[in-house]
Amino acid sequence: MSLNLKSLCSGILAMFFINVFSQDYSPIDTADEVFRSELKSKYETIFKNFNIRLKSEYSGKKKNELVNAFGGFQEEFIEEINDGNFVKDSRFQKMLDGIVAELQAKNPEIPKNLRILLSRYPNVNAYALPDGTLVMNMGSFKFLENQDQLASIISHEIAHNVLQHVLKSQIKQIDENIAGEYRSKIKTIKQRQYGQYQHAFELMQNLLYEEGSMRRTHEKEADSLGFKYYQNTRFKNDEFVNAFKLLQRYDTIKPTGLHVDVYRKYFDLPTQKFDETWLEMEDFSRYDYSKFVEKINKDSIASHPEAVERIEFLQKHFPELSSVEDAKVAGEEFKELQKIAELEEVPNMYFLKHYGLAIFVTLLKLEEGTHTKYYKYWLGKNFEKIYEARKQYRLNRYLDTVNPQEQSESYQQFLSFMWNLSLDELKNIAEFYAESGV
């Protein structure tokens, strides 16, 4: 009895803390021009030095194509910096830098010139660049369960860097003249009057399978070397496997779970009564989608092999992973970063101009019944953008269209609701929630 009462009190206190935390929470500054300018200058130098190294190590066509390939990416990366898609926040950076430093200290072969950045993207993912840069999405802090799992993802990306997978992939494509061969065959296909689709598809299929196979090999190599690095640290072995289970789960997750009553609750306004026709959905049952059945096995082109395949591979080569316990409870520092990452999810979607998805996630949060004032504010902000887009005939840039093959029923319902709203109705919703403030 006393144990149950203690658990209940702990739950109430936790919920009280979260609510207070959210009501007083201010999103991370997105207008830090000094940070952007310094980061841009830093990476212009990093990329310049990397390209000098490429030119000194390679020659002829290979040198030119490598410089061109990476040059295009580097321009995009600088644009990401200019757009403010990287975050300066000492709370997150302290943990990220600490994990990298520990891995370096316990594994002397890891380069000392690694640097790690935090991006605003709300999904769980990370990537490594050949110049020694690691990028971690803020969404990883929300979806991963503890610091050990975060360390496992970082270990994996460091292994990609050490094994030079990005560079090797580009060299392979240049050696096999994949880009040139592709352009030549596409040109031939376009000259045909009939059968263009089938031949183009077969070519794309071959290219994807070849590239997909190489990526899967690289992922397994990075898993193995990454775990060797990881197991030399204080982090728990089991969490290396648990992290990849979560990575696979959230890499394929689709928006779902929103009940229709939420629409009636939040869009029946004093200035605009709820209209049941807003919930009407097109009847897709009359369409035959069988001819559009996926022709490429998704696993063959996935950026990560299936969790079962990767875990079996690790357990085969590392017997200590043969039995894995459930995820351990996160420490207080990681829990706080989880809360921040969750509260940053919608602002980040707004900043990245994912307004439609931001509204869907906001409604999910409102359905949970926590942080209500905070999320009502962001509901207004995103509806303002949707209204502006609709007025300018650009709504399809920020709001998906209904696709029964790829979307859950609740997400289709959401999209139908949004597309059913008229321009004036969108304006009324935006103005109502804009006036509610935060």
Side-chain angles (χ1 to χ4, degrees):
M1 184 71 177
S2 60
L3 180 61
N4 290 337
L5 181 60
K6 181 180 179 181
S7 300
L8 177 62
C9 291
S10 298
I12 292 171
L13 286 171
M15 185 168 291
F16 173 77
F17 173 76
I18 291 171
N19 274 304
V20 171
F21 184 85
S22 67
Q23 304 303 347
D24 296 335
Y25 183 75
S26 296
I28 295 171
D29 181 19
T30 60
D32 192 336
E33 295 294 339
V34 174
F35 169 66
R36 294 189 201 185
S37 178
E38 291 176 350
L39 193 63
K40 178 183 176 182
S41 177
K42 177 180 179 179
Y43 270 89
E44 285 174 341
T45 302
I46 289 171
F47 291 152
K48 180 181 178 180
N49 292 335
F50 177 77
N51 292 340
I52 289 172
R53 181 167 71 85
L54 284 180
K55 292 175 182 177
S56 68
E57 294 178 1
Y58 300 94
S59 61
K61 176 184 176 182
K62 185 175 292 186
K63 177 188 73 175
N64 294 334
E65 294 208 20
L66 280 173
V67 171
N68 287 337
F70 286 115
F73 174 82
Q74 290 162 0
E75 289 178 6
E76 292 295 324
F77 195 85
I78 294 296
E79 201 57 40
E80 289 273 300
I81 294 174
N82 288 334
D83 289 344
N85 292 344
F86 296 104
V87 179
K88 180 183 180 182
D89 189 282
S90 58
R91 298 164 295 185
F92 289 96
Q93 202 63 47
K94 177 184 175 183
M95 180 169 288
L96 292 171
D97 288 341
I99 291 172
V100 172
E102 180 167 351
L103 286 163
Q104 289 171 321
K106 299 296 183 179
N107 300 280
E109 65 272 31
I110 292 178
K112 300 302 180 186
N113 66 338
L114 297 181
R115 63 202 75 85
I116 188 163
L117 299 176
L118 181 67
S119 84
R120 295 189 186 279
Y121 287 94
N123 57 317
V124 53
N125 209 351
Y127 61 90
L129 305 183
D131 58 54
T133 298
L134 312 174
V135 177
M136 179 68 68
N137 287 358
M138 190 181 290
S140 301
F141 283 87
K142 175 189 172 182
F143 292 109
L144 296 177
E145 297 168 304
N146 50 57
Q147 184 179 4
D148 298 46
Q149 292 179 8
L150 188 69
S152 73
I153 303 300
I154 293 174
S155 301
H156 174 89
E157 296 306 327
I158 288 176
H160 274 308
N161 177 270
V162 171
L163 294 168
Q164 299 184 64
H165 280 157
V166 174
L167 185 59
K168 288 177 180 177
S169 178
Q170 289 298 318
I171 291 172
K172 181 177 185 290
Q173 292 186 47
I174 291 170
D175 287 344
E176 296 180 0
N177 195 26
I178 290 175
E181 179 184 346
Y182 177 83
R183 286 192 295 267
S184 176
K185 289 186 178 181
I186 286 292
K187 184 178 180 180
T188 301
I189 288 170
K190 287 182 176 179
Q191 292 171 349
R192 296 179 180 177
Q193 186 175 359
Y194 303 105
Q196 291 183 10
Y197 168 78
Q198 186 62 34
H199 285 89
F201 180 81
E202 288 175 356
L203 172 60
M204 182 61 72
Q205 185 183 45
N206 291 336
L207 287 169
L208 289 173
Y209 266 79
E210 181 174 356
E211 182 63 9
S213 175
M214 183 177 185
R215 282 202 302 270
R216 289 194 300 174
T217 298
H218 284 174
E219 292 297 329
K220 289 181 180 178
E221 290 175 352
D223 284 348
S224 296
L225 182 58
F227 180 65
K228 290 178 182 178
Y229 292 155
Y230 177 91
Q231 67 181 165
N232 290 333
T233 66
R234 61 188 165 87
F235 302 114
K236 188 178 178 183
N237 284 353
D238 293 1
E239 299 303 328
F240 194 88
V241 172
N242 287 333
F244 288 113
K245 288 181 180 179
L246 283 173
L247 182 64
Q248 179 65 25
R249 175 184 173 188
Y250 291 114
D251 193 40
T252 57
I253 199 167
K254 298 179 180 179
T256 186
L258 190 62
H259 197 275
V260 291
D261 288 344
V262 171
Y263 301 101
R264 299 184 181 96
K265 180 175 181 179
Y266 289 102
F267 300 110
D268 185 16
L269 310 178
T271 56
Q272 179 173 274
K273 292 302 178 183
F274 188 83
D275 186 343
E276 289 293 330
T277 63
W278 293 342
L279 295 176
E280 289 181 357
M281 297 174 65
E282 186 173 352
D283 180 10
F284 289 97
S285 62
R286 65 182 184 274
Y287 294 104
D288 178 14
Y289 286 104
S290 60
K291 62 181 178 181
F292 299 114
V293 171
E294 188 68 51
K295 294 186 179 181
I296 299 177
N297 183 332
K298 289 183 179 179
D299 188 26
S300 71
I301 60 171
S303 60
H304 301 282
E306 288 294 329
V308 173
E309 179 186 342
R310 292 176 74 177
I311 291 168
E312 287 177 350
F313 177 84
L314 283 168
Q315 290 176 331
K316 177 181 178 181
H317 291 83
F318 301 97
E320 58 268 43
L321 295 176
S322 59
S323 178
V324 177
E325 296 179 359
D326 292 339
K328 72 175 192 179
V329 177
E332 292 305 314
E333 183 183 5
F334 190 84
K335 285 181 180 178
E336 181 175 356
L337 294 178
Q338 276 184 318
K339 287 195 272 290
I340 295 171
E342 183 167 2
L343 289 167
E344 286 288 333
E345 183 176 31
V346 171
N348 283 340
M349 287 179 176
Y350 176 85
F351 185 84
L352 295 166
K353 301 181 180 180
H354 301 164
Y355 306 125
L357 190 57
I359 291 173
F360 182 83
V361 172
T362 299
L363 291 173
L364 285 172
K365 298 298 183 184
L366 288 169
E367 187 176 37
E368 292 174 1
T370 56
H371 325 328
T372 303
K373 190 175 181 181
Y374 179 78
Y375 285 113
K376 281 183 177 179
Y377 168 79
W378 285 105
L379 193 63
K381 294 281 287 182
N382 282 286
F383 260 99
E384 285 176 353
K385 294 297 185 181
I386 290 293
Y387 165 69
E388 291 171 7
R390 182 68 171 268
K391 187 168 61 174
Q392 298 168 4
Y393 301 98
R394 296 178 178 177
L395 187 54
N396 59 351
R397 295 186 182 185
Y398 310 110
L399 184 67
D400 293 335
T401 53
V402 177
N403 183 350
Q405 291 177 282
E406 300 293 334
Q407 299 160 346
S408 67
E409 186 174 348
S410 67
Y411 191 56
Q412 291 176 55
Q413 175 67 82
F414 166 73
L415 294 175
S416 297
F417 168 78
M418 293 295 294
W419 283 103
N420 286 338
L421 293 169
S422 70
L423 183 63
D424 286 341
E425 289 163 346
L426 286 169
K427 182 181 180 181
N428 290 336
I429 294 171
E431 288 180 347
F432 175 81
Y433 281 105
E435 291 170 2
S436 65
V438 64

